[in-house]
Amino acid sequence: MEDFKENIKPFFWVEHQDSVSVCLNIGVYKSEIFRARDKEGFEGNGYDWCSLAKVFLKEQKPELMDTVSFDPEADMFCAYSTNPSNLKAFIIALKEACENESLIQDLFSRAELD
């Protein structure tokens, strides 16, 4: 579990009584992704991350769509699930996508402003 938590940084894992969540404090990771579309209104806030994550989920991990949900705030991105294994699969894959510059830019090109 410690390796997992280290591998997903700067995202962080939170366990709740009946669910788990993975969060990201805004402004600490990949802000350049959102700057590319700032004239369209993207700021890189939690809602923008959620828009990106929804495109990612739909196109890259559609099998997880029914088990991963989102609850963004202006200053935080948050995904949650009652299925820890599925949320782990989601965040590991999202983090890998974020590290692939061409893939994440391509996915973000289809994100819609929330």
Side-chain angles (χ1 to χ4, degrees):
M1 183 61 132
E2 287 308 311
D3 285 344
F4 163 73
K5 288 181 178 180
E6 189 65 31
N7 289 337
I8 65 167
K9 282 184 177 179
F11 296 95
F12 58 95
W13 187 259
V14 182
E15 295 185 10
H16 309 282
Q17 188 169 357
D18 297 324
S19 65
V20 291
S21 59
V22 64
C23 304
L24 173 70
N25 290 317
I26 299 309
V28 298
Y29 186 58
K30 296 293 179 178
S31 56
E32 68 277 4
I33 294 169
F34 302 98
R35 276 195 295 261
R37 293 181 63 191
D38 64 352
K39 287 183 175 42
E40 297 171 56
F42 284 97
E43 301 173 357
N45 60 31
Y47 302 103
D48 295 347
W49 269 98
C50 184
S51 295
L52 172 59
K54 286 178 179 179
V55 172
F56 168 80
L57 195 58
K58 181 180 177 186
E59 294 184 13
Q60 301 291 312
K61 291 290 182 184
E63 69 275 13
L64 303 178
M65 287 184 68
D66 292 338
T67 61
V68 175
S69 301
F70 302 100
D71 186 20
E73 301 290 334
D75 62 348
M76 183 176 288
F77 165 75
C78 182
Y80 66 94
S81 180
T82 56
N83 184 320
S85 296
N86 284 0
L87 191 61
K88 283 181 182 178
F90 163 77
I91 196 56
I92 288 169
L94 179 61
K95 174 73 186 295
E96 288 174 359
C98 286
E99 296 301 316
N100 180 331
E101 197 65 36
S102 60
L103 174 59
I104 202 66
Q105 290 291 349
D106 179 56
L107 292 169
F108 186 55
S109 73
R110 290 181 295 288
E112 296 181 11
L113 194 60
D114 189 8

